[in-house]
Amino acid sequence: MLKINKIKPDFFDKLVKNKTQWSELNNQDKQQLHDKLSEEQKKMCAYCESKIKNNNAHIDHFYKRNLFPKQTFEYNNLFKSCNNENYCAKHKDKFKLKKEDFKNFYSPLDIDLGEFNYNLLTGEIIGLTPKAQKTIEVFNLNHTTLKYKRETIIKQLSSYQDMDFDLSDLFEAFGEFINLLDYYIKDDLIVE
């Protein structure tokens, strides 16, 4: 999951002024939000860190609108998510969450990345605390597809293990899974 520092854009208050339902936003308004969230999230899904494009993404309300209607037009509650039915926002929305459950897992605003590690053989994310484990479960971040994508990147990196990597160079090359890349570099990890 990305750690996102959100800065509300100047256009946002005007865009949502006098709106009472999310459906009142027109396509142009939503596109403007998509573009800003893409920029803010480096074109990655806020939850799984996969590279996403506008036509394969949606704007997710971290705090679900039906449970937290007052959060509908809070900029800090909006994240761009991939459209996969098996993980990320769509998986979270299928989870039978109650209001009180939201304190048991992380938002991209408050995530403590130090509570997560990676298994560099399988591509699995490992939660080191109950809250980290619940975050992985709610967003299904160890779905087979995601583990395979991360494992593939790890194998590619390990084939160049003698090279000194810079995170910005790796991110430019891969364009996704920035926390995995950072974990790989910081811990100077090598897969045998």
Short mmCIF file of all heavy atoms in Angstrom, two decimals, residues 11-21 24-25 29 73:
data_model
loop_
_atom_site.label_atom_id
_atom_site.label_comp_id
_atom_site.label_asym_id
_atom_site.label_seq_id
_atom_site.Cartn_x
_atom_site.Cartn_y
_atom_site.Cartn_z
N PHE A 11 -8.91 23.35 -7.04
CA PHE A 11 -10.20 23.20 -7.72
C PHE A 11 -11.22 22.38 -6.93
O PHE A 11 -12.41 22.40 -7.23
CB PHE A 11 -10.02 22.57 -9.10
CG PHE A 11 -9.57 21.13 -9.08
CD1 PHE A 11 -10.47 20.09 -8.86
CD2 PHE A 11 -8.24 20.81 -9.29
CE1 PHE A 11 -10.06 18.77 -8.84
CE2 PHE A 11 -7.82 19.49 -9.28
CZ PHE A 11 -8.73 18.47 -9.05
N PHE A 12 -10.78 21.66 -5.91
CA PHE A 12 -11.65 20.67 -5.28
C PHE A 12 -12.89 21.27 -4.61
O PHE A 12 -14.01 20.78 -4.80
CB PHE A 12 -10.87 19.82 -4.28
CG PHE A 12 -11.67 18.68 -3.73
CD1 PHE A 12 -11.92 17.55 -4.49
CD2 PHE A 12 -12.20 18.74 -2.44
CE1 PHE A 12 -12.68 16.50 -4.00
CE2 PHE A 12 -12.96 17.70 -1.94
CZ PHE A 12 -13.20 16.57 -2.72
N ASP A 13 -12.73 22.29 -3.81
CA ASP A 13 -13.87 22.86 -3.09
C ASP A 13 -14.94 23.37 -4.06
O ASP A 13 -16.14 23.18 -3.84
CB ASP A 13 -13.43 23.98 -2.14
CG ASP A 13 -12.69 23.45 -0.93
OD1 ASP A 13 -12.92 22.28 -0.55
OD2 ASP A 13 -11.87 24.19 -0.36
N LYS A 14 -14.50 23.99 -5.12
CA LYS A 14 -15.45 24.48 -6.13
C LYS A 14 -16.15 23.30 -6.82
O LYS A 14 -17.35 23.35 -7.08
CB LYS A 14 -14.72 25.34 -7.16
CG LYS A 14 -15.62 25.94 -8.20
CD LYS A 14 -14.85 26.80 -9.18
CE LYS A 14 -15.78 27.31 -10.26
NZ LYS A 14 -15.06 27.98 -11.33
N LEU A 15 -15.40 22.27 -7.08
CA LEU A 15 -15.94 21.09 -7.76
C LEU A 15 -17.05 20.41 -6.97
O LEU A 15 -18.03 19.96 -7.54
CB LEU A 15 -14.78 20.10 -8.02
CG LEU A 15 -15.08 18.90 -8.86
CD1 LEU A 15 -14.11 18.85 -10.02
CD2 LEU A 15 -14.92 17.64 -8.03
N VAL A 16 -16.93 20.37 -5.65
CA VAL A 16 -17.92 19.66 -4.82
C VAL A 16 -18.95 20.60 -4.17
O VAL A 16 -19.87 20.12 -3.51
CB VAL A 16 -17.24 18.79 -3.75
CG1 VAL A 16 -16.33 17.76 -4.40
CG2 VAL A 16 -16.49 19.62 -2.74
N LYS A 17 -18.79 21.88 -4.39
CA LYS A 17 -19.69 22.85 -3.76
C LYS A 17 -21.15 22.55 -4.14
O LYS A 17 -21.46 22.31 -5.31
CB LYS A 17 -19.32 24.27 -4.20
CG LYS A 17 -20.09 25.34 -3.47
CD LYS A 17 -19.62 26.71 -3.88
CE LYS A 17 -20.40 27.74 -3.07
NZ LYS A 17 -19.95 29.08 -3.41
N ASN A 18 -22.00 22.55 -3.14
CA ASN A 18 -23.45 22.33 -3.28
C ASN A 18 -23.81 20.92 -3.77
O ASN A 18 -24.95 20.69 -4.17
CB ASN A 18 -24.08 23.38 -4.21
CG ASN A 18 -23.92 24.78 -3.66
OD1 ASN A 18 -23.99 24.99 -2.46
ND2 ASN A 18 -23.67 25.73 -4.55
N LYS A 19 -22.88 20.00 -3.73
CA LYS A 19 -23.17 18.61 -4.11
C LYS A 19 -23.57 17.85 -2.85
O LYS A 19 -23.00 18.05 -1.78
CB LYS A 19 -21.95 17.93 -4.74
CG LYS A 19 -21.34 18.67 -5.93
CD LYS A 19 -22.05 18.35 -7.20
CE LYS A 19 -21.34 18.78 -8.46
NZ LYS A 19 -21.01 20.15 -8.68
N THR A 20 -24.56 17.00 -2.99
CA THR A 20 -24.99 16.19 -1.86
C THR A 20 -24.79 14.70 -2.10
O THR A 20 -24.75 13.92 -1.17
CB THR A 20 -26.48 16.45 -1.52
OG1 THR A 20 -27.26 16.14 -2.67
CG2 THR A 20 -26.69 17.89 -1.09
N GLN A 21 -24.65 14.32 -3.37
CA GLN A 21 -24.45 12.92 -3.76
C GLN A 21 -23.26 12.83 -4.71
O GLN A 21 -23.07 13.70 -5.56
CB GLN A 21 -25.69 12.36 -4.48
CG GLN A 21 -26.96 12.39 -3.68
CD GLN A 21 -26.92 11.37 -2.56
OE1 GLN A 21 -26.44 10.25 -2.74
NE2 GLN A 21 -27.43 11.75 -1.40
N GLU A 24 -23.71 13.32 -8.45
CA GLU A 24 -23.90 14.66 -9.01
C GLU A 24 -22.65 15.18 -9.71
O GLU A 24 -22.72 16.17 -10.45
CB GLU A 24 -24.31 15.63 -7.90
CG GLU A 24 -25.67 15.34 -7.31
CD GLU A 24 -25.99 16.23 -6.13
OE1 GLU A 24 -25.46 17.35 -6.03
OE2 GLU A 24 -26.77 15.77 -5.26
N LEU A 25 -21.53 14.54 -9.50
CA LEU A 25 -20.31 14.94 -10.23
C LEU A 25 -20.43 14.46 -11.67
O LEU A 25 -20.77 13.30 -11.92
CB LEU A 25 -19.07 14.33 -9.58
CG LEU A 25 -18.68 14.84 -8.20
CD1 LEU A 25 -17.52 14.04 -7.66
CD2 LEU A 25 -18.34 16.32 -8.24
N ASP A 29 -15.72 16.44 -14.12
CA ASP A 29 -15.29 16.61 -12.72
C ASP A 29 -14.52 15.39 -12.25
O ASP A 29 -13.45 15.50 -11.64
CB ASP A 29 -16.50 16.81 -11.81
CG ASP A 29 -17.26 18.10 -12.06
OD1 ASP A 29 -16.68 19.03 -12.66
OD2 ASP A 29 -18.44 18.16 -11.66
N PHE A 73 -17.37 13.80 0.37
CA PHE A 73 -16.66 14.87 -0.32
C PHE A 73 -15.44 15.37 0.44
O PHE A 73 -15.02 16.51 0.30
CB PHE A 73 -17.62 16.01 -0.65
CG PHE A 73 -18.67 15.62 -1.64
CD1 PHE A 73 -19.99 15.45 -1.23
CD2 PHE A 73 -18.35 15.38 -2.96
CE1 PHE A 73 -20.96 15.07 -2.14
CE2 PHE A 73 -19.31 15.00 -3.88
CZ PHE A 73 -20.63 14.84 -3.47
#
